[in-house]
Amino acid sequence: MKYCDKCHVDVQTNQKYCPLCHQVLQGDNDETWIELYPKFIPLRREVLPLTKKIILFITIVAIAVLLAINLTAWEGKLWSLIPIGSILYVFMIVRYGVLSRQNIAFKLALLTTALILILNMIDQQFTEPEARGWAINYVTPLALLSCNVAISAIIWIRRINFRDYIFYLLTIMVFSLVPIILCLFNIVTVVWPSLAAFGLAIFILLIIVFFFPKSIKDEIKKRFHF
Amino acid sequence: MEHIRIANDWYRLDNAAKIFPAISTKKETNTFRVRVDLVDTIDMALLQQAVNLVLERYPMFKVRLKSGLFWNYLDYNERPFIVLPLPQRVCGSLSPKEHNGYLFQIYYWKKSIVLEMFHSLADGSGAFALIKSLVYEYLLLKGLKITPDNLILTRDSLPTVEEYEDSNLTYYDPHNHKHVPEKRAFLIKGTPISDGNIGLISATIATKDMMDLARANEASVTEYLTALMLYTIYITHIQYREHLKENKKPVKIFVPVNLRKQFPSKSLRNFTNFVKSGMVMNRSDISFDEILAETKKQFAYGLQKSELIRKMSENVSFEKNIFLRATPYFLKKFVLKIGYNMMGLLLNTLSFSNLGKIDFPESMQPHIDKISVGVYSGRFNTVNFGVVTYKDQFSMTFTRSIVETTIEREFFRHFTSKGIHMTLESNYVEEYR
C-alpha cells in the first residue's frame, strides 16, 4: 500500500505515481503485492488486416488500369468489364470465401449468386447474337443446382448445424424458381437444366417440410419477425 | 444440457437491446463490467466448469446475435464458452469472432472474476444475477459448504418465462408516450488515450461514511453523488469560463434507474430507465448546496411513476412505429444510428450507474473480498461513473477514454477533504504508453 500526500489517499499499487495527480507516491514497493490489473501489451500489427489492405489495393489499381486502357484505346466496346468482373469475383472469393468466418452455406450462396450475375452480364454484353443465352440457359440453373446439392450435402454430413444453414438453402431454392419462370416467358430456351434445378429444389423442400417441419417454421419466424 | 433446452431457443431483443447492435462500434462498445474479487486465487479450470454449469441455468445468455430481415434476434449458441485471462482493455468490444459469438465474457485474473457484458443482452441486474450464480457454482466446485439462501438462482430451479420477458412491453402505457425534446449537453473534452484504451480508477470508502455524508445533507446516496458530480464538472471545466460557447450547454448526468424496484418484474434482461439531472452553469458563484437542491427536485420529478412510464412508453412506441418496423434491418440500422446520435448520445455529459447494494448469502461472504463495476467510455461520453455497495465497502469506479484525470481528482478530494479514508486502485493505462 502506498500513500499520496497530496490527494490523501492510499493507493494499492507498485507503480510510482498517484493516478489522480501524478505525484510520486510515498511508501515502498511490496514484493508480495500482485497488481490488480494486467500489464498493458501494445497492439501488435496483425497480418490479416494488412493482407486485406494489399488485396484491396491491388484490386482497385487493376480496375483503374483496365478502365484507363479501355477508354484511351476505345474500340466501341467496354471489354474491360470482363476482366473487371473477374477481378471483383476473385476479390469476393478471397474476402468472403477465404478470409470471412461466416458459415459455409452463406459463402456458397453468395458466391454462386455473384457468379451467376457476372456470367449473365458477360453473356448479354459480349456474346455473338446467335450464341447468346448460354448463361441463362445452362449456367444459371446448373450453378443453382450444384449450390443446392452442396448445401444439402453439408447439412446432411454436419447435421448439428443445420439450423444455421437452412436459411441460405431456402434462399437458393427460391432463386431456383427463377429459371423455370423465365422458361414460361420464353427467355430461357433450353428447358432441361431449369427443370432439373427446379425439381431438385422442390425435392429438397419436400424433404425438409416432411422431416424437419419445425425447423423450417422456426427459421422463417426468426428471420422475418417484426 | 439437452434435457433442459427449452422449446423456445431464440429470443427477440428487448426494447432497449434493439438499439445497441446498430450503434455499437469498436469505440462505442456499449459494454459494462462487473468485477468480483475473491479471497483466494482463481482456479481457471474450476471457473470454466462453473461457467458451463451456470449457462445451463441461463439459456437466455447462451445465445448469439443473428440478423433477420427486420430485426436482429438472439439465437441459441451451440459453440463452447471459454473463459479468458483478463485483458488490459477495459470494456472492449465483444467481437463475435473472439468470443464464439457470445455477448458476454468471463475473465479471470489472480483473485478476480470479471464479467463484461454487451448491453443488448442484459442490464446490471441481469449481469449480477449471472455472476452471483457463477461465484456460487465456483465456490461449490471448490468444495466449500455454502447455501444460496434465496439470494441466488441455482441450477435447482428452472428458467421461467418471467426471466426472459421484455418487461418494457408489459408495463408500458400506450396513451402516455409524449416526447419531450432536450438540449444537447456539455461534453467533457480531453486527449484521447492511445489505441482506444480505457483508463480505470476505482476508489473504496466505508459504506457508513458515505451514508452519513448523504444523510447529513438529507439526500439519497445517488442524489448526493450526482450533485457532487455536477459540482465537480462545474469547478473543473466551467467556473469562470461560462462565456465560452460550449460551456453554455447544460451539464447533464444520466442516471439509470432499475425499474424492477418500481414494477414487479423478474426479468433478467434490460429493464431500466433513467433520471436526468442537469443544470446550465451560467454563473460563477454556484454552490454545492444549490446544485444539490436542484438535483433533489429533478430526482423527485423524474422518479414519479408516470414520468418513468412516459419515458418507457416513448421508447416502446418508437419501436412499435409501423414504418420503422416495416423497414428492412440494413436500412433501419442507419435510422437507429442517426436517431441515437441526435436523441441519445449527445444529450448526456456523463452516465452514473448506481448498482445499489449487492447481497451475498452469509456463508459466501467470507470468500468474497470486493465488488466493483465499470461502464465503457467512448468518444462523446468520455468519463463515466459506476458505483456499487458490498457489505461495508462503497466502491466508486471512474472509466475514462481521455488522459486527463481532473474530474476524478476533484471528485475524490471532496471525500478526503472531509477526512474520509479512501483506498484507490488504477489500471495505470497512462504508464504504458
Side-chain angles (χ1 to χ4, degrees):
Chain A
M1 197 80 91
K2 293 190 174 183
Y3 184 72
C4 172
D5 61 354
K6 202 170 167 195
C7 302
H8 305 290
V9 289
D10 286 334
V11 185
Q12 294 183 306
T13 187
N14 274 350
Q15 296 275 354
K16 221 171 149 189
Y17 303 103
C18 169
L20 295 178
C21 64
H22 265 246
Q23 296 291 310
V24 178
L25 290 169
Q26 293 182 340
D28 297 321
N29 277 0
D30 178 0
E31 295 307 323
T32 59
W33 173 252
I34 315 158
E35 284 295 334
L36 290 165
Y37 295 88
K39 264 212 164 128
F40 177 57
I41 302 151
L43 285 175
R44 271 167 293 140
R45 182 176 234 186
E46 286 172 47
V47 185
L48 197 64
L50 186 64
T51 325
K52 269 187 198 161
K53 275 178 201 160
I54 293 172
I55 293 170
L56 191 66
F57 179 72
I58 293 175
T59 309
I60 286 172
V61 169
I63 289 173
V65 168
L66 279 167
L67 264 180
I69 295 174
N70 192 187
L71 292 177
T72 45
W74 181 253
E75 287 170 354
K77 263 199 170 175
L78 207 58
W79 53 262
S80 60
L81 281 183
I82 297 178
I84 288 175
S86 319
I87 289 171
L88 283 179
Y89 192 65
V90 170
F91 177 74
M92 276 183 81
I93 290 182
V94 175
R95 172 73 181 74
Y96 296 103
V98 182
L99 296 180
S100 152
R101 295 229 209 145
Q102 278 278 4
N103 75 47
I104 193 160
F106 165 79
K107 291 177 180 175
L108 280 172
L110 181 78
L111 291 175
T112 311
T113 317
L115 183 67
I116 289 169
L117 290 177
I118 290 171
L119 289 180
N120 271 303
M121 186 272 294
I122 294 175
D123 183 16
Q124 290 303 316
Q125 293 296 318
F126 303 105
T127 316
E128 301 300 320
E130 56 271 22
R132 196 167 285 169
W134 52 269
I136 196 82
N137 278 332
Y138 297 100
V139 176
T140 309
L142 292 178
L144 289 169
L145 183 129
S146 7
C147 186
N148 249 334
V149 170
I151 299 180
S152 317
I154 292 164
I155 293 179
W156 191 257
I157 294 162
R158 299 174 59 185
R159 295 191 146 205
I160 35 161
N161 260 339
F162 73 93
R163 25 184 304 131
D164 289 346
Y165 294 3
I166 221 155
F167 178 69
Y168 304 107
L169 187 63
L170 285 175
T171 317
I172 287 296
M173 266 177 212
V174 172
F175 287 172
S176 301
L177 304 181
V178 174
I180 204 86
I181 293 168
L182 292 179
C183 261
L184 298 176
F185 293 102
N186 274 337
I187 296 168
V188 173
T189 45
V190 185
V191 179
W192 68 266
S194 306
L195 207 58
F198 177 70
L200 184 82
I202 294 293
F203 176 69
I204 296 173
L205 189 69
L206 284 178
I207 288 187
I208 298 175
V209 168
F210 274 90
F211 294 97
F212 311 99
K214 198 173 153 5
S215 61
I216 196 169
K217 226 172 92 188
D218 274 1
E219 193 62 28
I220 289 171
K221 230 197 243 165
K222 281 188 234 175
R223 296 277 181 179
F224 294 99
H225 81 275
F226 90 116
Chain B
M1 329 212 175
E2 204 65 25
H3 64 274
I4 69 151
R5 252 186 72 187
I6 42 174
N8 177 9
D9 59 0
W10 70 281
Y11 308 90
R12 289 157 181 266
L13 289 172
D14 61 66
N15 175 266
K18 277 182 170 151
I19 194 138
F20 291 117
I23 55 162
S24 297
T25 58
K26 260 189 184 154
K27 287 204 168 155
E28 300 285 334
T29 58
N30 288 299
T31 52
F32 58 94
R33 82 159 34 175
V34 173
R35 174 185 174 118
V36 176
D37 292 357
L38 301 189
V39 174
D40 293 324
T41 308
I42 303 292
D43 182 333
M44 180 261 209
L46 281 187
L47 184 67
Q48 177 69 58
Q49 264 184 52
V51 174
N52 294 347
L53 292 173
V54 163
L55 275 179
E56 285 177 32
R57 175 61 185 77
Y58 289 91
M60 65 291 264
F61 291 160
K62 193 174 168 53
V63 288
R64 61 188 161 135
L65 195 66
K66 287 181 100 178
S67 49
L69 185 60
F70 298 107
W71 290 112
N72 287 347
Y73 61 95
L74 299 170
D75 200 7
Y76 176 78
N77 190 350
E78 71 288 331
R79 289 190 242 173
F81 185 96
I82 296 157
V83 299
L84 297 172
L86 185 69
Q88 218 270 350
R89 177 88 160 85
V90 177
C91 292
S93 76
L94 288 166
S95 146
K97 284 178 191 168
E98 282 157 43
H99 305 279
N100 274 347
Y102 286 94
L103 300 180
F104 70 101
Q105 181 61 49
I106 308 276
Y107 299 110
Y108 60 91
W109 176 257
K110 313 290 178 190
K111 293 177 181 178
S112 348
I113 300 174
V114 176
L115 164 68
E116 281 190 1
M117 194 178 254
F118 183 45
H119 223 313
S120 258
L121 199 58
D123 56 16
S125 304
F128 262 110
L130 177 71
I131 202 159
K132 276 159 105 175
S133 299
L134 175 65
V135 173
Y136 174 77
E137 280 307 330
Y138 173 77
L139 292 178
L140 267 192
L141 285 174
K142 280 199 96 176
L144 297 168
K145 280 216 168 91
I146 49 173
T147 48
D149 295 359
N150 295 326
L151 289 170
I152 285 168
L153 292 173
T154 63
R155 282 185 298 133
D156 303 330
S157 60
L158 282 177
T160 60
V161 71
E162 287 89 37
E163 286 173 12
Y164 52 81
E165 74 163 9
D166 180 0
S167 297
N168 292 295
L169 294 181
T170 318
Y171 297 106
Y172 84 106
D173 175 2
H175 305 297
N176 179 11
H177 63 83
K178 211 175 132 237
H179 173 67
V180 181
E182 269 188 68
K183 279 204 181 120
R184 287 194 174 185
F186 168 81
L187 297 174
I188 302 162
K189 302 241 161 62
T191 321
I193 299 179
S194 57
D195 291 336
N197 270 302
I198 289 183
L200 182 150
I201 296 178
S202 183
T204 314
I205 61 174
T207 308
K208 195 179 160 297
D209 289 343
M210 186 66 240
M211 293 302 218
D212 289 347
L213 203 55
R215 230 168 262 157
N217 288 279
E218 292 169 348
S220 73
V221 170
T222 315
E223 285 166 358
Y224 185 84
L225 290 178
T226 309
L228 179 57
M229 189 65 78
L230 283 168
Y231 183 65
T232 311
I233 294 172
Y234 171 62
I235 54 172
T236 54
H237 286 80
I238 296 180
Q239 197 174 23
Y240 309 124
R241 284 155 274 183
E242 302 91 4
H243 55 279
L244 296 176
K245 191 166 169 261
E246 174 70 16
N247 293 358
K248 285 180 182 152
K249 293 181 184 166
V251 180
K252 286 195 262 186
I253 313 286
F254 176 91
V255 185
V257 177
N258 184 358
L259 292 181
R260 291 170 191 79
K261 286 183 182 153
Q262 319 273 342
F263 301 95
S265 164
K266 284 202 178 76
S267 177
L268 292 175
R269 300 174 53 195
N270 283 302
F271 192 43
T272 46
N273 217 302
F274 62 86
V275 171
K276 258 185 216 177
S277 177
M279 220 174 150
V280 184
M281 312 277 195
N282 50 6
R283 288 182 285 121
S284 52
D285 57 346
I286 302 176
S287 69
F288 176 66
D289 293 327
E290 192 182 336
I291 294 177
L292 185 62
E294 183 68 25
T295 304
K296 276 198 260 186
K297 233 188 276 167
Q298 284 164 344
F299 266 72
Y301 174 74
L303 284 174
Q304 290 170 59
K305 214 154 200 167
S306 62
E307 183 63 12
L308 288 173
I309 292 179
R310 181 191 68 73
K311 279 179 269 190
M312 177 160 62
S313 311
E314 192 186 327
N315 293 340
V316 174
S317 71
F318 180 65
E319 175 199 330
K320 286 194 173 257
N321 181 314
I322 190 73
F323 295 110
L324 185 76
R325 276 165 74 184
T327 316
Y329 186 73
F330 63 91
L331 294 175
K332 191 156 17 195
K333 210 158 90 176
F334 296 107
V335 178
L336 292 176
K337 233 180 203 160
I338 295 164
Y340 182 73
N341 277 345
M342 285 193 326
M343 303 197 288
L345 199 55
L346 298 177
L347 302 184
N348 309 319
T349 307
L350 179 149
S351 88
F352 161 35
S353 320
N354 188 348
L355 272 292
K357 191 168 180 291
I358 304 302
D359 289 320
F360 271 102
E362 226 157 80
S363 52
M364 284 170 77
Q365 284 181 9
H367 308 291
I368 297 161
D369 184 31
K370 205 171 158 187
I371 296 176
S372 61
V373 293
V375 197
Y376 91 100
S377 290
R379 259 175 59 209
F380 299 107
N381 297 336
T382 46
V383 179
N384 282 326
F385 187 49
V387 160
V388 70
T389 317
Y390 168 64
K391 287 201 295 189
D392 56 346
Q393 294 166 339
F394 188 80
S395 152
M396 305 183 273
T397 308
F398 275 99
T399 45
R400 63 182 201 280
S401 56
I402 51 174
V403 177
E404 291 77 7
T405 54
T406 4
I407 290 178
E408 285 92 329
R409 193 175 66 215
E410 292 308 319
F411 191 86
F412 289 147
R413 278 185 186 172
H414 176 85
F415 293 96
T416 47
S417 71
K418 292 193 183 311
I420 293 173
H421 179 255
M422 179 176 270
T423 314
L424 273 194
E425 59 185 61
S426 164
N427 70 345
Y428 278 98
V429 72
E430 66 273 22
E431 303 298 324
Y432 300 111
R433 256 180 300 170

